[in-house]
Amino acid sequence: MLTELGRRLTDKWLTLLTLPGALFLAVAAGALVLGRDHTWDAAHLVHRITAWAEDPRVDTVGGQVVVFAAVIATATLVGLLADGLGTALERVWLAADWRSWPRPARLLARWRVRARHRRWSRAHERLRAALAEGGGDRETDADAEPAEITVAEPSDAPEAEPAATAGNTDAAHSVPAGTAVAGPSGPSDATDAEPADPEDGRPSFDEAYDRLVRIAPEEPDRPTWCGDRLHAVAVRFRREHALELAVVWPHLWLMLPDGVCEQIRAARQDLARAFVLGAWSLVHLPLVLWWYPAVIVAAVLAAVAWWRVRSAVETYAVLLEAAVRLHVADLAAQVGVEYTGPLSPAAGRALTLRLHAGVPPRPRD
């Protein structure tokens, strides 16, 4: 067991710190040797490296050990720096708490949210038009029969009066990153009509929906698509089931099957690694001051990180939503909220109130 743990820690250390750090050191060495005077002079680079390798101080075993240790230590330190930058980049990219940022950053984020909201509103109007023209086969849940709800009596332990859950930002820290409180978003109404003709220039429902989702899956409340994608999970549960994900998720996580937890944990780690990769692109940027081709490395890392972050966010959000939908009934039964049929708003509200922290008592005189 200890051997397996050591192997995993070594693999993680090599993957997250040493190997990307070695790439940084290679680019830094190229910047130091070539600089602005020998930007693409490969012969000059080979000559200088050969001279360093033939140095008598490096030719001995002790010298080689020192050089190897220095390279590993430097790569690790730079890797730790990139890991810290990755955490900061995740906070900025997902922007779950952008309303509490310093004023300049908050104003920029607000402008970005409003711009994205205008684009989303126009796309939503096109979606409604496409739905009116060709969405007769799509039904809403408005006419669904409500399920029967039974809230079991609590135990002998006193239970405080639950507080209101709408707009609770304090509970957002218990839920995975980016799935905090949300604004409202109204569903579209389906009507019976003939499908839209794709040749008349009007988008079909699927095309209009894809354009909408490329902006944000729900009404924009974050300055980035990734933040809105995670945020959409909480929005949907609040709108469709009156369920506060920030309140329910910590309790649900403790009773999920091991296989489900492993998949969610792996998706979360993939997301964190994608942000660290984006941080490596930032680490390479200062080298541009000495050797401008370093911007190519930074751009490649940034492009790959952007793609990996979006992919990891989508996977993570899908797993979160699926885990809640599949196992929320077990949690409800565990805490004494019984219902039949699909989770209804009444059941979701009862479960949220049962798990929400109560209002503190009045202070003693």
Side-chain angles (χ1 to χ4, degrees), residues 150-153 331-338 354:
T150 303
V151 181
E153 292 296 328
L331 175 62
Q334 187 76 17
V335 299
V337 178
E338 301 177 359
R354 173 55 57 88

Side-chain angles (χ1 to χ4, degrees), residues 109-329:
R110 182 181 300 166
W111 171 82
R112 175 66 177 166
V113 170
R114 290 176 177 175
R116 298 183 69 250
H117 194 280
R118 287 192 294 268
R119 292 179 55 211
W120 190 88
S121 298
R122 291 192 296 267
H124 195 274
E125 290 300 324
R126 290 191 291 267
L127 177 65
R128 291 179 62 89
L131 182 61
E133 294 176 358
D137 57 339
R138 295 173 176 84
E139 299 178 354
T140 62
D141 298 329
D143 299 329
E145 292 294 331
E148 298 180 359
I149 310 299
T150 303
V151 181
E153 292 296 328
S155 59
D156 295 335
E159 181 176 345
E161 179 183 357
T165 58
N168 183 8
T169 56
D170 294 335
H173 299 288
S174 302
V175 78
T179 60
V181 295
S185 176
S188 300
D189 298 327
T191 59
D192 295 328
E194 293 296 328
D197 187 358
E199 296 182 356
D200 63 2
R202 292 174 298 175
S204 64
F205 177 88
D206 293 335
E207 292 173 345
Y209 182 76
D210 289 342
R211 294 175 183 177
L212 180 76
V213 171
R214 281 198 294 268
I215 301 172
E218 295 287 344
E219 186 175 357
D221 190 70
R222 303 286 188 267
T224 64
W225 180 90
C226 292
D228 273 325
R229 179 61 186 93
L230 289 178
H231 182 60
V233 179
V235 172
R236 290 168 181 169
F237 280 113
R238 181 181 293 111
R239 182 183 66 238
E240 299 172 4
H241 307 291
L243 187 74
E244 289 293 330
L245 185 60
V247 176
V248 172
W249 176 255
H251 305 81
L252 182 62
W253 173 256
L254 296 178
M255 61 179 301
L256 288 177
D258 292 340
V260 177
C261 290
E262 285 298 325
Q263 293 186 49
I264 296 177
R265 189 178 294 113
R268 187 65 182 85
Q269 292 173 353
D270 289 342
L271 181 58
R273 284 193 290 266
F275 283 118
V276 172
L277 182 61
W280 276 110
S281 67
L282 299 178
V283 171
H284 282 78
L285 282 180
L287 300 178
V288 178
L289 299 175
W290 289 272
W291 189 53
Y292 73 84
V295 73
I296 300 176
V297 180
V300 171
L301 291 176
V304 175
W306 178 85
W307 180 83
R308 287 184 57 183
V309 165
R310 288 179 66 95
S311 177
V313 162
E314 178 66 25
T315 301
Y316 186 48
V318 169
L319 289 177
L320 286 179
E321 188 168 354
V324 176
R325 293 190 184 280
L326 292 176
H327 298 281
V328 70

Side-chain angles (χ1 to χ4, degrees), residues 85-98 101 105 109 223-224 227 275:
L85 286 176
T87 302
L89 182 62
E90 176 180 339
R91 181 178 179 182
V92 173
W93 204 323
L94 297 181
D97 58 345
W98 68 267
W101 289 358
T224 64
F275 283 118

Side-chain angles (χ1 to χ4, degrees), residues 10-20 273 280:
T10 302
D11 293 342
K12 182 177 180 180
W13 176 68
L14 288 173
T15 302
L16 296 181
L17 301 179
T18 306
L19 294 181
R273 284 193 290 266
W280 276 110

